[in-house]
């Protein structure tokens, strides 16, 4: 179920629900955002399934084709729904209100760090007497702009840790929201939440000639609560429709390292608006290495509002590469966008699965009254619907479908209580 919800949220990202300035990207969206939006995927078609027979592919296709996945995002809340031939199978409330959902998305975590937490930390570190140092040499932050100077404070470890202490809990929540989409997010979040200075820390506020803050730089030795001491350098910029983040944390002893670069750009034009971004992460820990590259590109052809774009993730672990990719096209037709989504996964250069679905995006009326509040309730609904579906199949088709569904991930997943089968099976 969690994987299904993650997939749903990725689709939300792809269609711009969590992009910082979708209202500027799409004039029609600007008209809808006060009421809310509804995204629907339907008529899914699986064209490739690795190591499966034609019979297995047909059985799985029969299961998928009547399904529709819907995401509702409204001011009063957000919800996920799954239906078959117009009849709802299950649902799950994702957030109680619009702010609750946005707070769980990476942009809001980064925004909180830039606009609240880092300024508060910098103010707490300013000298009580005299003025902080100023470097007149500027720096260019990609997609953000050029700064004219840096205001610098130098903090000893004790002073930095004391200034960070009252901000630690809120900063940890912001960091968690900003990093939850990464592999090993729990480990990374734990390390960041225990960030401790182990020596002198330099904090630099990057400013324009007009005294506008465009970014921040931090450097020095840090640890995770006294463990795993690293040399940390961070450059973070936000503004002018762009975001730039470069973070490097290299172990003082040994070969462990962590590097991350995030880039985001929004551009408005007379004939086309664009959104583009990329995230690159490389980590080495205990001689185990993984690398991750995410990229997203969207364009909106004006004035007709024809949206197209793609998203891609490449993950390499233990020398083996996995690639997830998706492409979307949407055409504004009256009061809704309609189009298609194609998606594919490869593993070690072999196609694992490939498929497509119809995609629509429209203004929402209001959230339906019935919606499940817990994941357990939603899973029970899904389980009952699957068993009922299996009961209606012939014995041969049931055997083929269950064999196809029992993947390695399923069989090696967490153990759950055995539930009774319906009497009809």
């Amino acid at each position: 179920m969690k994987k299904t919800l993650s997939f749903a949220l990725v689709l939300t990202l792809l269609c711009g629900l969590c992009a910082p300035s979708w209202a500027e990207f799409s004039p029609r969206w600007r008209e809808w955002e006060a009421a809310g939006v509804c995204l629907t995927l339907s008529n899914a078609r699986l064209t490739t399934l690795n190591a499966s027979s034609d019979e297995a592919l047909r059985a799985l296709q029969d299961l998928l084709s009547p399904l529709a996945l819907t995401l509702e995002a409204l001011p009063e809340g957000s919800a996920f729904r799954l239906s078959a031939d117009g009849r709802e199978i299950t649902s799950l409330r994702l957030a109680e209100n619009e702010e609750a959902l946005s707070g769980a998305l990476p942009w809001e975590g980064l925004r909180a760090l830039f606009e609240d937490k880092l300024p508060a930390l910098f103010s707490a570190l300013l000298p009580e007497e005299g003025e902080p140092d100023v470097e007149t040499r500027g720096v260019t932050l990609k997609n953000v702009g050029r700064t004219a100077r840096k205001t610098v404070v130098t903090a000893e470890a004790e002073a930095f840790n004391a200034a960070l202490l009252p901000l630690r809990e809120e900063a940890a929540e912001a960091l968690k929201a900003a990093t939850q989409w990464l592999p090993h997010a729990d480990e990374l979040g734990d390390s960041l939440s225990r960030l401790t200075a182990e020596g002198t820390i330099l904090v630099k506020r990057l400013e324009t000639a007009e005294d506008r803050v465009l970014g921040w730089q931090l450097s020095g030795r840090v640890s995770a609560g006294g463990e795993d001491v690293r040399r940390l350098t961070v450059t973070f910029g936000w503004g002018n429709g762009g975001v730039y983040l470069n973070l490097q944390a290299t172990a003082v002893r040994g070969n462990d390292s962590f590097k991350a670069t995030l880039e985001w750009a929004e551009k408005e034009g007379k004939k086309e608006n664009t959104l583009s971004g990329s995230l690159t992460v490389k980590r080495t820990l205990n001689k185990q290495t993984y690398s991750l590259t995410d990229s997203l590109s969207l364009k909106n052809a004006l004035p007709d509002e024809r949206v197209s774009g793609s998203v891609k993730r490449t993950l390499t672990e233990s020398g083996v590469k996995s690639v997830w990719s998706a492409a979307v096209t949407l055409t504004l037709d009256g009061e809704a966008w309609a189009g298609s989504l194609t998606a594919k996964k490869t593993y070690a250069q072999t196609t694992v699965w490939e498929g497509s679905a119809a995609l629509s995006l429209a203004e929402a009326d209001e959230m339906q009254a019935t919606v499940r509040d817990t994941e357990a309730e939603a899973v029970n609904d899904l389980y009952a619907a699957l068993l009922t579906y299996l009961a209606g199949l012939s014995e041969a088709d049931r055997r083929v479908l269950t064999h196809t569904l029992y993947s390695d991930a399923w069989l090696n997943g967490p153990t759950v209580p055995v539930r009774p089968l319906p009497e009809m099976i």
Side-chain angles (χ1 to χ4, degrees):
M1 189 67 180
K2 290 182 179 179
K3 290 185 177 180
T4 302
L5 295 178
S6 298
F7 179 58
L9 289 172
V10 167
L11 292 175
T12 306
L13 171 62
L14 178 63
C15 294
L17 293 175
C18 69
S21 297
W22 179 271
E24 284 68 37
F25 178 74
S26 166
R28 178 54 61 92
W29 182 278
R30 193 180 302 123
E31 299 174 9
W32 290 356
E33 60 182 346
V37 293
C38 180
L39 179 151
T40 301
L41 278 171
S42 60
N43 195 27
R45 179 171 178 77
L46 194 62
T47 55
T48 302
L49 186 63
N50 185 43
S52 294
S53 64
D54 292 342
E55 186 180 25
L57 189 61
R58 176 191 57 77
L60 194 55
Q61 183 60 55
D62 289 344
L63 173 65
L64 293 175
S65 58
L67 299 180
L69 172 69
T70 300
L71 280 169
E72 300 170 338
L74 298 97
E76 66 266 27
S78 303
F80 153 91
R81 298 182 186 277
L82 184 67
S83 59
D85 293 326
R87 179 180 56 83
E88 185 171 296
I89 295 174
T90 191
S91 62
L92 182 62
R93 191 182 307 277
L94 300 177
E96 289 291 342
N97 52 58
E98 189 177 46
E99 289 73 23
L101 178 62
S102 64
L105 296 169
W107 291 118
E108 293 308 311
L110 290 173
R111 188 190 299 277
L113 286 174
F114 188 84
E115 296 182 351
D116 301 326
K117 307 307 179 292
L118 287 173
L121 178 63
F122 186 83
S123 296
L125 294 174
L126 287 171
E128 295 182 1
E129 298 182 359
E131 297 295 326
D133 295 333
V134 176
E135 296 180 2
T136 56
R137 181 168 53 91
V139 62
T140 298
L141 300 170
K142 188 174 181 180
N143 301 324
V144 176
R146 175 77 184 176
T147 66
R149 61 178 177 269
K150 304 175 183 178
T151 300
V152 185
V153 295
T154 303
E156 299 303 320
E158 185 176 354
F160 182 88
N161 292 333
L164 183 62
L165 187 61
L167 301 170
R168 185 178 296 278
E169 184 174 347
E170 291 184 355
E173 288 301 313
L175 287 165
K176 181 180 179 181
T179 59
Q180 63 177 306
W181 308 101
L182 297 176
H184 312 289
D186 290 342
E187 299 173 28
L188 179 60
D190 178 65
S191 295
L192 291 172
S193 67
R194 296 189 293 132
L195 182 70
T196 305
E198 296 294 337
T200 301
I201 303 293
L202 293 179
V203 183
K204 302 180 181 183
R205 187 174 61 195
L206 311 182
E207 306 155 357
T208 67
E210 296 76 28
D211 297 328
R212 187 159 61 96
V213 178
L214 280 187
W216 301 88
Q217 288 183 329
L218 288 84
S219 60
R221 288 192 177 192
V222 300
S223 70
E227 303 173 351
D228 191 17
V229 180
R230 302 285 184 108
R231 296 184 185 90
L232 175 70
T233 59
V234 181
T235 300
F236 183 21
W238 184 294
N240 301 323
V243 178
Y244 177 79
L245 170 65
N246 181 270
L247 183 154
Q248 299 187 39
T250 305
V252 172
R253 295 181 179 179
N255 297 318
D256 291 349
S257 64
F258 181 87
K259 299 179 181 180
T261 301
L262 171 67
E263 298 176 4
W264 180 266
E266 307 167 12
K267 296 181 181 179
E268 294 184 62
K270 293 182 179 180
K271 295 183 177 181
E272 183 178 88
N273 294 338
T274 62
L275 300 175
S276 61
S278 65
L279 170 68
T280 302
V281 176
K282 295 182 179 180
R283 186 187 81 159
T284 299
L285 183 64
N286 299 325
K287 298 182 180 180
Q288 299 295 315
T289 299
Y290 86 78
S291 64
L292 166 76
T293 300
D294 284 347
S295 62
L296 179 145
S297 176
L298 289 173
K299 64 180 181 180
N300 186 7
L302 304 173
D304 298 332
E305 297 224 48
R306 297 189 308 277
V307 175
S308 60
S310 62
V311 61
K312 183 178 181 180
R313 163 167 285 195
T314 302
L315 176 65
T316 303
E317 292 185 285
S318 302
V320 181
K321 182 183 295 186
S322 298
V323 180
W324 296 261
S325 59
V328 62
T329 59
L330 287 167
T331 301
L332 189 59
D333 182 12
E335 296 302 315
W337 270 294
S340 64
L341 172 78
T342 59
K344 179 180 180 180
K345 178 187 177 181
T346 63
Y347 179 80
Q349 299 183 335
T350 299
T351 299
V352 178
W353 54 260
E354 186 171 7
S356 63
L359 177 64
S360 66
L361 188 64
E363 184 176 17
D365 297 323
E366 59 181 6
M367 186 175 293
Q368 298 180 32
T370 58
V371 59
R372 294 297 196 183
D373 290 314
T374 69
E375 187 173 310
E377 291 176 310
V379 170
N380 282 337
D381 291 343
L382 190 61
Y383 176 80
L386 179 59
L387 291 181
T388 300
Y389 178 81
L390 291 173
L393 298 178
S394 68
E395 183 177 351
D397 285 346
R398 188 187 310 144
R399 187 185 307 113
V400 169
L401 183 57
T402 53
H403 177 76
T404 304
L405 292 175
Y406 291 161
S407 62
D408 289 342
W410 181 318
L411 294 174
N412 295 322
T415 301
V416 297
V418 176
R419 298 172 181 172
L421 298 177
E423 294 181 0
M424 64 187 75
I425 296 182

